Structure formats: C-alpha cells, structure tokens
Amino acid sequence: MKIDQLKFYEVIDSRGNPTIACKIFSGKFSSISMVPSGASTGSKEAQEIRDNNKKRFLGKGLKEVIKKTEHQIFDVISQKNLSDQQEIDKGLIELDGSKNKSNIGANMILATSMAVSKLASQSENMELFQYIHQIAKAYEIDCDYSLPLPMMNILNGGAHANNPLEFQEFMIQPAGFENFDESLRAGIEIFHNLKKELQENNFSTSVGDEGGFAPDISDTKKALDFICSAVEKSGYKMGEEIFIAMDCAASEIFINGEYLFEGKNHDNSGLIQIYEELIKRYPIKSIEDPLDEDDWDGWKAITKQIGDEVSIVGDDLFVTNKKILEKGINNGSANSILIKVNQIGTVSETLETISLANQNNINTVISHRSGETEDTFISDLAVGIGAGQIKTGAPSRSDRTAKYNRLLMISSDNNFSFEGMNGIKQ
Ligand code: PGA
Ligand code: ZN
C-alpha cells in the first residue's frame, strides 16, 4: 500500500509550545501522530527545528517549517511501501542529510515516522503494539509482550519546576503487585496521600511539567521523606512493594567542571558518595543521569560502585543513540538506557538502539518528554518490545494520563505479564 496524502499541523504541547502533528492517509485509513519536546535536553540529541520568527510563539512557531518541508517529505514517503518502515525512515534520514536531523528537523521526521507505523498497523488490522512487535523482529528484538513497571514522577524539581530542588524527578516504582492495574492504583493512592502530606505541612500542591507536585523544598532528603510517609499512609511497604527512582539530570547542575548540589560544589566522586548515602537510607532502585553527559569517568565509577544494586540509567548520556550506547557498553558506563523517540528521530533507529541494549543486557526504560501531547505511541512501544519499565510522569495532566490509560486498556484486553522488579537486570 502507498501513502496517498500527508498533512502537517502546528498544534500545542503540554507547556503551550507549538509542536508538530502529522496526518497521513492510505486508501480508507488515516493516522495522526504528535511529537513531544524536552526541557533538559542532551546536547547530542537529534535537533527539532522551529521558525525562529519572534513575532509568533516567541520564535517557537512551526508554520514556516511545515511550508518548507511538507512537499519534500511527501515526495519521499509516497514512493515507498507503507509497510516498509525501515525504507521510509531511511528515505527521511537521507532527505535530511545531516548528522542530527537539523535540516528537515527531528520533529518533522519523527512525526512522519510514527504516523507511518500507526497507519501500517491499521492497514494490517493490528493493534499498534502488535505491529511494533512484528517490525521489531527485523532488529532481532524477539521478546514477549509485557506491561511495563510504571516509574511515576510524583515530585518534580530541576528544570521541570519552579522550586529549589536540584534533582529533577522523584519517582516511585510500585513493583510488588500482581499486575499493571494494581501497580498503577498503588502509585495513584500514594500520589493522593503525598498531596495530603504536603497540604498538612503548608506546602503548595501545584504541579510541575510532568504532573508531580512541586513544593518549595530545597532539601533532597526532605523530599524523599515526604514520599516515604505518603507510602506509609497509603498502607504499602516501602522497600518491598514500593521503590524509589530518581532522575538527577546532573548535566543541569554541572557548572564549570563541578557539581553544585545543595549549596556546595562536588567533584564526581563527592557526588557519587552522596548517592551512596542516599541509597543506604532509602530504597532507591534506579538513578538516571547521576553525572554529566560528558563525565564518562564518573559514569564508569558509579556503575562499578553501585551498579549491581541500582539501575544506572543513561538519558542525556546516550540520547537513544546506538553509537553512543556502544561507547557506554565498551567502557562499562550505565546498566540501563532511557528510550525517547524524539532524541533519535525515527522509529527504526529507536528499534536499533533497543536491540543493541537487549543484546548487552542493558535495561530499557521507555520515556515521555517533559513537553508532551495526547499521543500514546510510547505506551504501545513499551508493550510491543516488552520494555519492562515506562517513565511517563505522575497520574495527573492528560498528557501523562493518556499514556497510563492506553496501558490500562491494553492490560484489560490482553493477558500480558507484568514482572515488576523481576523484569530488571542488574
Ligand atoms: P526532558 O526531561 O523531557 O525535559 O528532557 C525528561 C528527562 O530528563 O528524563
Ligand atoms: Zn532524564
């Protein structure tokens, strides 16, 4: 089947910034995709492009980008077979011609690539997760479907909130439950109890970009203590049923060669010591971006020191890029990778990176961005490749709950496994 028609739209993301929606048609079928956008981006990510016309949306508009590239993209994809994702993505990469998709724009390319997967799944009468599962086989990703362990970012700091907390994300992993629905329910109950706890202590319960609370707290331990008491109030056992995960987004606190944390400067070993103390005190099972994206020595050291107890997750470090992941594997940096489709820009390259991770026992965490839309592609991706973990914010804001709701429906319609912590390799 061929793609008959393509249209791009300038729509709005969860931060009120313009983003790209792509609608494509083939015969009686049509599909829509929308792309997310980060705030604490890695420097080696594929580049989204914008109009840079300060008269519209403070330069973030996309009308001119669409006008310039819509025809070029259609010319490439209309020549190809709809079911040949790899060929279509290859055509888009060639059309762009740059190393980081900065000519056509990773936002334009990803919107097209995801819309193609969605349309192909319809034309083959499959659910999107089934289609992704099928095309993943070409990348030697041979897995069972599974429902991922949610990593729920219930307390926001860093670049996602207007509070003094340095670390960006304080997440809970409700792992000790029979199935996805029960795990999510526990996480939601904890979220509500955290709200009560904050209210009772006169902290604001307004939320940050990913739906977690953003109280005016500056002390990391205090933030973690609030989470622990919310877990207790909810009647769950910390360290047995519920675990903690953090995204430190440490590139954001790396200033002039040192890490600025709670008013003091630290070198990488000083910061690693802080993490070691935190994991002794709290049941922290996952730390994302503990060090700057270029601090390879630090990454190697932390993986050696605590990597057998804790998932050390590379986000800004790997930017979903196969070549950078390869470097990390070769020098023993990190044991897990965050997968963000817009960091690399096509569905095919995302699958290539996941495949390399699987072959090397690196855990995959499928992730949203802080700027999101109602698109639920990542839920299907997580199930289709049996990722084991998903990071898609708090159970608040429709951009986040859309992903959880899609997973609840997949869970209800199918008898897929939920492995909790057992699905995670250390
Ligand atoms: P971002 O944040 O989308 O702003 O990059 C998410 C993350 O760092 O994991
Ligand atoms: Zn991150």
Side-chain angles (χ1 to χ4, degrees), residues 124-326:
E124 298 197 16
N125 200 18
M126 284 180 175
E127 292 273 3
L128 180 58
F129 64 82
Q130 292 173 318
Y131 183 73
I132 291 172
H133 188 259
Q134 176 183 284
I135 62 172
K137 292 198 173 119
Y139 299 88
E140 292 170 26
I141 301 171
D142 201 6
C143 58
D144 292 333
Y145 295 115
S146 68
L147 270 310
L149 170 63
M151 300 173 73
M152 306 172 79
N153 181 9
I154 57 174
L155 213 149
N156 296 184
H160 296 168
N162 188 17
N163 64 10
L165 272 176
E166 274 100 352
F167 294 159
Q168 184 178 281
E169 300 173 18
F170 295 82
M171 294 169 273
I172 45 169
Q173 294 173 302
F177 299 87
E178 289 285 296
N179 55 43
F180 175 81
D181 306 38
E182 291 296 291
S183 161
L184 191 68
R185 180 170 66 83
I188 293 168
E189 290 166 5
I190 294 163
F191 178 73
H192 290 304
N193 277 308
L194 178 59
K195 183 172 186 173
K196 268 197 210 149
E197 285 283 291
L198 292 170
Q199 263 165 351
E200 279 163 21
N201 287 277
N202 297 321
F203 283 106
S204 154
T205 53
S206 59
V207 297
D209 288 356
E210 298 189 350
F213 302 114
D216 193 15
I217 297 176
S218 55
D219 182 350
T220 298
K221 289 198 188 97
K222 193 165 178 185
L224 290 166
D225 288 339
F226 267 120
I227 292 178
C228 290
S229 56
V231 170
E232 200 181 304
K233 287 261 160 68
S234 309
Y236 295 112
K237 291 192 196 83
M238 197 61 155
E240 282 178 47
E241 293 169 309
I242 312 290
F243 299 89
I244 291 177
M246 292 195 306
D247 180 3
C248 305
S251 297
E252 305 286 322
I253 57 165
F254 192 63
I255 299 149
N256 299 328
E258 286 190 297
Y259 295 95
L260 179 60
F261 178 72
E262 298 189 347
K264 289 197 193 105
N265 282 320
H266 303 270
D267 61 8
N268 52 17
S269 57
L271 191 64
I272 294 172
Q273 211 176 324
I274 291 171
Y275 295 132
E276 285 187 309
E277 282 158 21
L278 288 174
I279 65 170
K280 271 191 205 126
R281 193 159 160 169
Y282 302 96
I284 296 170
K285 277 286 168 194
S286 176
I287 306 181
E288 181 181 327
D289 283 349
L291 295 148
D292 177 68
E293 62 176 54
D294 291 316
D295 187 355
W296 287 93
D297 291 340
W299 277 90
K300 207 172 149 180
I302 193 170
T303 307
K304 202 161 167 227
Q305 279 165 245
I306 59 172
D308 51 355
E309 296 166 65
V310 177
S311 290
I312 305 294
V313 188
D315 169 16
D316 291 349
L317 179 72
F318 295 137
V319 291
T320 316
N321 183 310
K322 187 181 149 192
K323 288 208 181 86
I324 308 177
L325 175 61
E326 216 153 41

Side-chain angles (χ1 to χ4, degrees), residues 322-342:
K322 187 181 149 192
K323 288 208 181 86
I324 308 177
L325 175 61
E326 216 153 41
K327 179 175 171 183
I329 291 164
N330 290 337
N331 81 359
S333 295
N335 56 24
S336 307
I337 180 172
L338 206 75
I339 299 289
K340 291 170 165 168
V341 279
N342 80 326

